[in-house]
């Protein structure tokens, strides 16, 4: 594809370059590419993805400690590790942490890092909004956890059922932190969803049609649409709950005429699409890892039907036999595409030359654990059986096999798989495999017995149980298993430290250590700031793989090029990049101030509002670039308030400041004052 562009602006004889005589002061862009400030104010999608992942792992440790406290309390009858009130707070925060602060941001980490790379883009469509979503998520997570030190954490369950979440049954400020903190985190998810949808629809590489995108990119795109429509629903519910608690409204006050099922409908209309928001990224990861280590392609897809099954969480709420029958059928029906996905993964492995790397082990383990969780979930489609299982430990076992066994193990597979791309070295395979088996054994030892406990009648959300209930043995097994899981998690973090030390001074592993298929492996490792040295023209699905291998007429696969010969080396210079910014961090900082003020003092809310408004003002009027930065392309010449980053022109090219497209290889030659320059050279990507 040939493109043209105007020559760079040049000075004629007698003209001088005019520069500002005074500093831009607070509106200046951050300077420096190293140190902590370069991370704090970055808009680079890769750094933002890494920070999302690091934050998710930190919250994983916190949620894991809360889980261990729960299991210690239930290890024996009449446990005294936690009081009744403390137990309610711990199990509420465990659920909130694992769902909203671990699995969701871990998926966001993969989306932010990999989506632009997999579609051949330089960055996301709106880089500053991307940074804002990260700091907004962290603001919400930290705000939620400060409740431990400010009178008590949320204690109404992660689902926040009214009226238990009202002032009568939860008089502390804990549920205020819940309602406001999740609204802040929800802003992060909504902003990120809009950003990533725009990126995928407008910034794909030349020739990268939607149906040539990798399965992971498709899964992540579907998740963004689910977030786009699901987050507003839970936001409405949380908004109403905040008004009930802070301003004496009556949205959930049954005594004042409110519908007792209103919260449940709002929460689960969000909550069941949320299950797919949690699991689909892991499906996408498994659909990248399994073909790579089976040497066979795959294709799967799912999404829309998750909206039609929310009420199977409410079969015992008295909503009527017609509704129960309808949602029973829809729940049975949704098992069909889920089963197809599992068969696709199995068919991909069947007959393949499988390499059982750590990443592959985690993917296979995730398929197996999710299958168990799916089979137990199908039993909930049968309303009479669901009536017996509701609010028992059978339900706890089911969703842990889906969320922990499916989502978290799938994402651990992704961490091992893409770690070399992110950091330039592999995690230790021996330690990784030991950690996998420890984690898998501990997981089944913990949650397998919960099926039995649930069928024996043990209720969930109970602080203790009687010695003659018959629950003693399996609760002890589950507690032992939870500490085995903890050992597996510690081995994972130990592996990170050991591998990092071994990698110091060692050469990078190369662009493609796994002989993978996606475009993200078609650049250097770790990924350079500009992603690709030049635009990539895509002619088929799995473009990178087809540049390395050829399938003959007889079906035989032969190598035609080495990965190093096909991949970019990351040496390009003068590549158009978005500039760092202070203001996403500042605006996000104002949100928890507003929330603290709503709980304690409205003057603090006013201060937070001033921080937000000041940050937004500076965001709009900050310059597109530091005027003294000669080597950095100006990516917002036309409109400083435009946050389009590196542009959204179809085919992945970036618009220059004068509105013209970049050169075909994604670079722009910058002219110094008085230096003659011609049109940007057109680079082409030749296939071997």
């Amino acid at each position: 594809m040939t493109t043209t562009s105007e020559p760079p602006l040049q000075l004629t004889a007698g003209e001088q370059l005019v520069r500002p005589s005074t500093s831009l002061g607070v509106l200046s862009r951050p300077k420096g590419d190293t140190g902590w400030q370069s991370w704090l104010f970055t808009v680079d999608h890769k750094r933002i993805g890494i920070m999302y992942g690091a934050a998710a792992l930190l919250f994983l440790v916190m949620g894991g400690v809360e889980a261990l406290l729960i299991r210690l309390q239930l290890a024996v009858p009449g446990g005294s590790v936690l009081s009744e009130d403390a137990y309610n707070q711990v199990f509420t925060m465990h659920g909130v942490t694992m769902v909203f602060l671990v699995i969701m941001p871990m998926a966001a980490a993969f989306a932010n890092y990999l989506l632009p790379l997999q579609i051949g883009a330089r960055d996301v469509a709106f880089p500053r909004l991307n940074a804002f979503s990260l700091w907004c998520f962290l603001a919400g997570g930290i705000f939620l956890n400060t409740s431990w030190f400010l009178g008590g954490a949320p204690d109404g369950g992660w689902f926040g059922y009214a009226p238990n979440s009202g002032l009568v049954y939860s008089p502390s400020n804990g549920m205020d932190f819940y309602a406001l903190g999740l609204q802040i985190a929800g802003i992060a998810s909504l902003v990120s969803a809009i950003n990533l949808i725009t990126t995928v629809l407008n910034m794909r590489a030349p020739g990268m049609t939607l149906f040539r995108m990798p399965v992971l990119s498709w899964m992540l795109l579907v998740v963004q649409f689910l977030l786009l429509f699901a987050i507003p629903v839970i936001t409405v519910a949380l908004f109403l709950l905040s008004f009930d608690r802070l301003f004496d409204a009556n949205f959930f006050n049954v005594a004042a005429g409110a519908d007792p099922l209103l919260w449940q409908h709002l929460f689960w209309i969000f909550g069941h699409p949320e299950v797919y928001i949690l699991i689909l990224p892991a499906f996408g990861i498994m659909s990248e890892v399994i073909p790579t280590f089976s040497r066979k392609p795959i294709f799967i897809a799912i999404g829309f039907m998750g909206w039609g099954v929310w009420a199977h969480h409410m079969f015992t709420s008295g909503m009527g036999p017609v509704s129960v029958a309808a949602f029973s059928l829809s729940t049975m029906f949704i098992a069909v595409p889920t089963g197809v996905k599992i068969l696709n993964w199995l068919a991909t492995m069947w007959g393949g030359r499988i390499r059982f790397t750590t990443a592959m082990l985690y993917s296979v383990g995730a398929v197996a654990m999710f299958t168990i969780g799916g089979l137990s979930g199908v039993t909930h489609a049968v309303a009479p059986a669901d009536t017996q299982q509701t609010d028992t430990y059978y339900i706890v076992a089911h969703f842990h096999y889906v969320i922990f066994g499916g989502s978290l193990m799938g994402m651990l597979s992704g961490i091992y798989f893409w770690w070399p791309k992110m950091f330039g070295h592999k995690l230790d395979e021996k330690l990784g495999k030991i950690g996998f088996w420890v984690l898998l054994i501990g997981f089944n030892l913990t949650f397998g017995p919960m099926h039995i406990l649930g069928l024996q009648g043990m209720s969930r959300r109970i602080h203790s149980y009687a010695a003659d209930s018959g629950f003693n043995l399996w609760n002890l097994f589950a507690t032992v298993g939870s500490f085995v899981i903890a050992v597996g998690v510690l081995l994972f973090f130990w592996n990170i430290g050991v591998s990092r030390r071994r990698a110091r001074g060692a050469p990078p592993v190369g662009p493609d250590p796994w002989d993978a298929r996606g475009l993200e492996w078609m650049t250097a490792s770790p990924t350079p700031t500009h992603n690709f040295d030049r635009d990539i023209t895509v002619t088929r699905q799995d473009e990178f793989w087809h540049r390395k291998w050829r399938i003959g007429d007889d079906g035989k696969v032969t190598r035609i090029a080495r990965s190093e010969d096909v991949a970019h080396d990351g040496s390009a210079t003068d590549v158009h990049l978005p500039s760092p910014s202070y203001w996403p961090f500042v605006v996000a900082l104002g949100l928890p101030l507003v929330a603290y003020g709503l709980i304690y003092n409205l003057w603090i809310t006013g201060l937070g509002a001033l921080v937000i408004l000041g940050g937004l003002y500076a965001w709009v009027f900050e310059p597109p670039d530091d005027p003294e930065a000669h080597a950095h392309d100006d990516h917002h010449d036309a409109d400083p308030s435009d946050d389009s980053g590196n542009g959204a022109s179809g085919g992945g090219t970036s618009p220059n400041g004068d509105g013209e497209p970049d050169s075909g290889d994604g670079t722009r030659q910058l002219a110094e004052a008085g230096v003659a320059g011609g049109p940007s050279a057109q680079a082409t990507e030749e296939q071997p």
Side-chain angles (χ1 to χ4, degrees):
M1 180 177 68
T2 302
T3 62
T4 61
S5 63
E6 296 292 331
L9 180 65
Q10 303 174 40
L11 298 179
T12 60
E15 291 182 327
Q16 293 183 347
L17 187 63
V18 178
R19 298 190 183 280
S21 58
T22 59
S23 170
L24 292 170
V26 71
L27 291 182
S28 298
R29 290 279 192 164
K31 300 178 179 67
D33 298 326
T34 60
W36 63 270
Q37 291 188 23
S38 68
W39 286 84
L40 191 64
F41 305 123
T42 186
V43 295
D44 181 1
H45 73 97
K46 297 177 292 298
R47 285 190 165 193
I48 289 170
I50 289 171
M51 287 190 284
Y52 257 118
L57 290 176
L58 174 62
F59 285 121
L60 173 65
V61 173
M62 297 172 63
V65 171
E66 291 158 356
L68 293 178
L69 290 173
I70 294 170
R71 289 314 318 163
L72 283 173
Q73 171 64 25
L74 295 174
V76 295
S80 58
V81 175
L82 298 171
S83 66
E84 290 91 336
D85 182 52
Y87 182 84
N88 286 341
Q89 295 178 41
V90 169
F91 95 77
T92 298
M93 282 301 293
H94 169 69
V96 169
T97 299
M98 298 304 292
V99 171
F100 295 104
L101 305 182
V102 176
I103 305 296
M104 287 183 70
M106 187 67 75
F110 286 108
N112 275 276
Y113 196 100
L114 293 173
L115 253 183
L117 290 169
Q118 289 203 328
I119 65 173
R122 296 274 184 224
D123 208 304
V124 294
F126 309 115
R128 289 182 293 177
L129 277 180
N130 205 28
F132 172 70
S133 70
L134 167 70
W135 299 120
C136 197
F137 151 68
L138 276 174
I142 294 171
F143 173 81
L144 266 168
N145 280 278
T146 58
S147 62
W148 290 109
F149 312 102
L150 296 172
D155 57 0
W158 79 275
F159 36 79
Y161 281 165
N164 289 342
S165 55
L167 285 171
V168 173
Y169 297 99
S170 183
S172 72
N173 291 324
M175 292 306 293
D176 297 321
F177 279 90
Y178 168 90
L180 296 171
L182 291 185
Q183 287 182 72
I184 295 173
I187 293 172
S189 296
L190 194 59
V191 166
S192 181
I194 295 170
N195 197 357
L196 293 173
I197 289 171
T198 306
T199 300
V200 171
L201 296 184
N202 291 280
M203 298 180 67
R204 301 187 306 279
M208 175 68 80
T209 64
L210 288 173
F211 285 101
R212 288 176 180 169
M213 292 197 313
V215 175
L216 175 60
S217 295
W218 261 107
M219 291 295 182
L220 292 173
L221 178 62
V222 171
V223 165
Q224 307 318 308
F225 277 106
L226 290 174
L227 285 167
L228 183 65
F229 292 104
I231 291 297
V233 180
I234 189 64
T235 300
V236 168
L238 294 168
F239 186 82
L240 299 181
L241 178 61
S242 298
F243 263 73
D244 268 19
R245 293 184 57 87
L246 298 173
F247 303 110
D248 296 324
N250 291 302
F251 293 107
F252 303 114
N253 184 354
V254 178
D259 184 347
L261 295 183
L262 175 61
W263 172 272
Q264 288 194 47
H265 279 296
L266 288 173
F267 185 84
W268 289 117
I269 288 173
F270 154 80
H272 209 82
E274 170 71 0
V275 173
Y276 293 92
I277 290 168
L278 299 176
I279 195 65
L280 287 182
F283 285 177
I285 290 168
M286 290 184 273
S287 298
E288 297 287 330
V289 172
I290 291 174
T292 296
F293 297 115
S294 299
R295 313 305 273 291
K296 291 175 65 180
I298 191 172
F299 180 81
I300 59 175
I302 189 177
F304 178 74
M305 287 190 296
W307 291 95
V309 295
W310 82 86
H312 69 210
H313 296 272
M314 302 169 59
F315 282 167
T316 59
S317 65
M319 62 181 182
V322 175
S323 298
V324 168
F327 283 99
S328 291
L329 290 173
S330 65
T331 304
M332 293 178 189
F333 186 64
I334 202 171
V336 175
T338 304
V340 170
K341 293 192 303 292
I342 295 169
L343 292 174
N344 272 329
W345 290 319
L346 294 177
T348 301
M349 290 183 280
W350 183 267
R353 291 180 293 163
I354 299 176
R355 291 178 290 162
F356 282 108
T357 62
T358 305
M360 184 65 167
L361 286 174
Y362 271 108
S363 282
V364 174
V367 172
M369 297 304 99
F370 176 77
T371 301
I372 295 173
L375 291 173
S376 65
V378 172
T379 64
H380 304 149
V382 183
D386 181 81
T387 301
Q388 301 301 314
Q389 297 158 7
T390 292
D391 286 338
T392 70
Y393 262 80
Y394 189 92
I395 304 294
V396 178
H398 158 68
F399 68 68
H400 277 89
Y401 268 88
V402 172
I403 303 305
F404 190 127
S407 294
L408 189 57
M409 290 186 71
M411 291 181 187
L412 286 171
S413 172
I415 290 174
Y416 276 93
F417 186 60
W418 280 290
W419 192 272
K421 180 54 58 181
M422 297 179 184
F423 301 104
H425 66 271
K426 293 181 179 180
L427 292 175
D428 184 85
E429 280 290 302
K430 183 177 180 180
L431 272 176
K433 291 176 181 178
I434 294 172
F436 163 76
W437 288 112
V438 171
L439 194 67
L440 186 70
I441 292 169
F443 171 79
N444 284 283
L445 188 60
T446 301
F447 299 109
M450 291 184 186
H451 292 100
I452 302 172
L453 287 169
L455 294 175
Q456 287 180 338
M458 182 174 175
S459 298
R460 59 193 293 198
R461 311 176 197 133
I462 59 171
H463 162 261
S464 186
Y465 54 92
D468 60 355
S469 62
F471 305 148
N472 308 26
L473 176 64
W474 295 118
N475 271 299
L476 183 60
F477 267 76
T479 299
V480 171
S482 67
F483 280 87
V484 177
I485 292 175
V487 172
V489 173
L490 288 174
L491 283 171
F492 168 73
F493 285 107
W494 177 260
N495 194 350
I496 292 176
V498 168
S499 301
R500 179 180 174 83
R501 287 196 299 271
R502 291 176 180 172
R504 289 173 182 168
V509 294
D512 181 30
W514 307 121
D515 190 22
R517 311 178 78 89
L519 291 186
E520 71 271 25
W521 303 101
M522 201 170 165
T523 188
S525 298
T527 310
T529 306
H530 57 275
N531 290 358
F532 302 101
D533 292 343
R534 53 196 176 274
D535 276 354
I536 300 169
T537 300
V538 177
T539 60
R540 72 205 95 181
Q541 194 173 16
D542 296 331
E543 175 71 24
F544 179 49
W545 187 88
H546 284 286
R547 297 191 184 196
K548 300 180 295 179
W549 298 89
R550 176 182 292 125
I551 303 176
D553 294 336
D554 57 355
K556 184 178 180 180
V557 178
T558 56
R559 181 177 284 277
I560 55 176
R562 298 184 311 155
S563 298
E564 292 77 7
D565 298 330
V566 178
H568 301 176
D569 60 14
S571 61
T573 58
D574 292 335
V575 177
H576 174 101
L577 294 172
S579 304
S581 176
Y582 298 109
W583 307 113
F585 176 80
V586 173
V587 175
L589 188 65
L591 293 172
L593 291 177
V594 170
Y596 283 123
L598 289 173
I599 296 173
Y600 295 109
N601 191 308
L602 290 179
W603 286 105
I604 304 175
T605 295
L607 175 62
L610 287 176
V611 171
I612 293 172
L613 292 174
L616 290 174
Y617 178 87
W619 186 324
V620 170
F621 289 104
E622 72 175 337
D625 242 330
D626 189 320
E628 301 298 328
H630 302 288
H632 205 297
D633 189 10
D634 186 353
H635 62 290
H636 292 303
D637 287 308
D639 182 6
S641 67
D642 181 16
D643 195 25
S644 59
N646 64 350
S649 57
T653 57
S654 304
N656 293 333
D658 57 4
E660 294 294 329
D662 277 349
S663 58
D665 63 348
T667 63
R668 182 185 179 191
Q669 303 298 325
L670 302 179
E672 293 292 341
V675 179
S680 300
Q682 171 70 26
T684 60
E685 185 71 18
E686 297 294 340
Q687 290 189 33

